[in-house]
PDB file of all heavy atoms in Angstrom:
ATOM      1  N   TYR A 199      12.755  -7.159 -15.449  1.00  0.00           N
ATOM      2  CA  TYR A 199      13.695  -7.625 -14.330  1.00  0.00           C
ATOM      3  C   TYR A 199      15.125  -7.971 -14.960  1.00  0.00           C
ATOM      4  O   TYR A 199      15.110  -8.661 -16.037  1.00  0.00           O
ATOM      5  CB  TYR A 199      13.152  -8.771 -13.586  1.00  0.00           C
ATOM      6  CG  TYR A 199      11.834  -8.400 -12.943  1.00  0.00           C
ATOM      7  CD1 TYR A 199      10.552  -8.638 -13.394  1.00  0.00           C
ATOM      8  CD2 TYR A 199      11.768  -7.601 -11.667  1.00  0.00           C
ATOM      9  CE1 TYR A 199       9.417  -8.219 -12.882  1.00  0.00           C
ATOM     10  CE2 TYR A 199      10.647  -7.300 -11.046  1.00  0.00           C
ATOM     11  CZ  TYR A 199       9.451  -7.559 -11.649  1.00  0.00           C
ATOM     12  OH  TYR A 199       8.274  -7.259 -11.042  1.00  0.00           O
ATOM     13  N   SER A 200      16.122  -7.733 -14.247  1.00  0.00           N
ATOM     14  CA  SER A 200      17.433  -8.006 -14.705  1.00  0.00           C
ATOM     15  C   SER A 200      17.794  -9.526 -14.543  1.00  0.00           C
ATOM     16  O   SER A 200      17.185 -10.202 -13.766  1.00  0.00           O
ATOM     17  CB  SER A 200      18.571  -7.249 -14.026  1.00  0.00           C
ATOM     18  OG  SER A 200      18.580  -7.602 -12.554  1.00  0.00           O
ATOM     19  N   LYS A 201      18.615 -10.043 -15.414  1.00  0.00           N
ATOM     20  CA  LYS A 201      18.971 -11.422 -15.326  1.00  0.00           C
ATOM     21  C   LYS A 201      19.616 -11.680 -14.010  1.00  0.00           C
ATOM     22  O   LYS A 201      19.363 -12.932 -13.468  1.00  0.00           O
ATOM     23  CB  LYS A 201      19.901 -11.887 -16.585  1.00  0.00           C
ATOM     24  CG  LYS A 201      19.197 -11.797 -17.874  1.00  0.00           C
ATOM     25  CD  LYS A 201      20.205 -12.232 -18.908  1.00  0.00           C
ATOM     26  CE  LYS A 201      19.483 -12.164 -20.308  1.00  0.00           C
ATOM     27  NZ  LYS A 201      20.403 -12.601 -21.422  1.00  0.00           N
ATOM     28  N   ASP A 202      20.381 -10.685 -13.384  1.00  0.00           N
ATOM     29  CA  ASP A 202      21.038 -10.993 -12.187  1.00  0.00           C
ATOM     30  C   ASP A 202      20.040 -11.106 -11.074  1.00  0.00           C
ATOM     31  O   ASP A 202      20.243 -11.953 -10.124  1.00  0.00           O
ATOM     32  CB  ASP A 202      21.979  -9.838 -11.963  1.00  0.00           C
ATOM     33  CG  ASP A 202      23.266  -9.737 -12.816  1.00  0.00           C
ATOM     34  OD1 ASP A 202      23.547 -10.833 -13.365  1.00  0.00           O
ATOM     35  OD2 ASP A 202      23.830  -8.649 -12.945  1.00  0.00           O
ATOM     36  N   PHE A 203      18.919 -10.395 -11.126  1.00  0.00           N
ATOM     37  CA  PHE A 203      17.997 -10.499 -10.094  1.00  0.00           C
ATOM     38  C   PHE A 203      17.286 -11.838 -10.200  1.00  0.00           C
ATOM     39  O   PHE A 203      16.961 -12.489  -9.092  1.00  0.00           O
ATOM     40  CB  PHE A 203      16.834  -9.326 -10.237  1.00  0.00           C
ATOM     41  CG  PHE A 203      15.893  -9.360  -9.233  1.00  0.00           C
ATOM     42  CD1 PHE A 203      16.211  -9.192  -7.911  1.00  0.00           C
ATOM     43  CD2 PHE A 203      14.471  -9.326  -9.500  1.00  0.00           C
ATOM     44  CE1 PHE A 203      15.228  -9.221  -6.767  1.00  0.00           C
ATOM     45  CE2 PHE A 203      13.510  -9.234  -8.568  1.00  0.00           C
ATOM     46  CZ  PHE A 203      13.892  -9.148  -7.242  1.00  0.00           C
ATOM     47  N   ILE A 204      16.870 -12.269 -11.303  1.00  0.00           N
ATOM     48  CA  ILE A 204      16.287 -13.583 -11.519  1.00  0.00           C
ATOM     49  C   ILE A 204      17.161 -14.654 -10.931  1.00  0.00           C
ATOM     50  O   ILE A 204      16.810 -15.599 -10.264  1.00  0.00           O
ATOM     51  CB  ILE A 204      15.955 -13.816 -12.933  1.00  0.00           C
ATOM     52  CG1 ILE A 204      14.906 -12.800 -13.448  1.00  0.00           C
ATOM     53  CG2 ILE A 204      15.282 -15.299 -13.116  1.00  0.00           C
ATOM     54  CD1 ILE A 204      13.518 -12.715 -12.694  1.00  0.00           C
ATOM     55  N   LYS A 205      18.522 -14.708 -11.312  1.00  0.00           N
ATOM     56  CA  LYS A 205      19.404 -15.560 -10.753  1.00  0.00           C
ATOM     57  C   LYS A 205      19.560 -15.533  -9.312  1.00  0.00           C
ATOM     58  O   LYS A 205      19.593 -16.609  -8.634  1.00  0.00           O
ATOM     59  CB  LYS A 205      20.796 -15.292 -11.430  1.00  0.00           C
ATOM     60  CG  LYS A 205      20.921 -15.724 -12.937  1.00  0.00           C
ATOM     61  CD  LYS A 205      22.298 -15.392 -13.415  1.00  0.00           C
ATOM     62  CE  LYS A 205      22.419 -15.769 -14.854  1.00  0.00           C
ATOM     63  NZ  LYS A 205      23.708 -15.477 -15.435  1.00  0.00           N
ATOM     64  N   LEU A 206      19.547 -14.276  -8.740  1.00  0.00           N
ATOM     65  CA  LEU A 206      19.631 -14.182  -7.306  1.00  0.00           C
ATOM     66  C   LEU A 206      18.403 -14.866  -6.614  1.00  0.00           C
ATOM     67  O   LEU A 206      18.589 -15.487  -5.586  1.00  0.00           O
ATOM     68  CB  LEU A 206      19.546 -12.695  -6.959  1.00  0.00           C
ATOM     69  CG  LEU A 206      19.611 -12.326  -5.458  1.00  0.00           C
ATOM     70  CD1 LEU A 206      20.997 -12.891  -4.824  1.00  0.00           C
ATOM     71  CD2 LEU A 206      19.529 -10.860  -5.248  1.00  0.00           C
ATOM     72  N   LEU A 207      17.306 -14.657  -7.143  1.00  0.00           N
ATOM     73  CA  LEU A 207      16.012 -15.365  -6.587  1.00  0.00           C
ATOM     74  C   LEU A 207      16.074 -16.829  -6.560  1.00  0.00           C
ATOM     75  O   LEU A 207      15.502 -17.570  -5.707  1.00  0.00           O
ATOM     76  CB  LEU A 207      14.708 -14.780  -7.235  1.00  0.00           C
ATOM     77  CG  LEU A 207      14.339 -13.277  -7.098  1.00  0.00           C
ATOM     78  CD1 LEU A 207      13.163 -12.914  -7.833  1.00  0.00           C
ATOM     79  CD2 LEU A 207      14.284 -12.948  -5.638  1.00  0.00           C
ATOM     80  N   GLN A 208      16.829 -17.419  -7.532  1.00  0.00           N
ATOM     81  CA  GLN A 208      16.904 -18.837  -7.628  1.00  0.00           C
ATOM     82  C   GLN A 208      18.309 -19.317  -7.081  1.00  0.00           C
ATOM     83  O   GLN A 208      18.408 -20.529  -7.167  1.00  0.00           O
ATOM     84  CB  GLN A 208      16.876 -19.160  -9.211  1.00  0.00           C
ATOM     85  CG  GLN A 208      15.530 -18.804  -9.898  1.00  0.00           C
ATOM     86  CD  GLN A 208      15.517 -18.884 -11.307  1.00  0.00           C
ATOM     87  OE1 GLN A 208      16.632 -18.703 -12.054  1.00  0.00           O
ATOM     88  NE2 GLN A 208      14.426 -19.332 -11.826  1.00  0.00           N
TER      89      GLN A 208
END
Side-chain angles (χ1 to χ4, degrees):
Y199 298 98
S200 67
K201 291 181 180 179
D202 288 341
F203 183 57
I204 299 299
K205 288 180 180 178
L206 178 64
L207 295 179
Q208 298 171 324

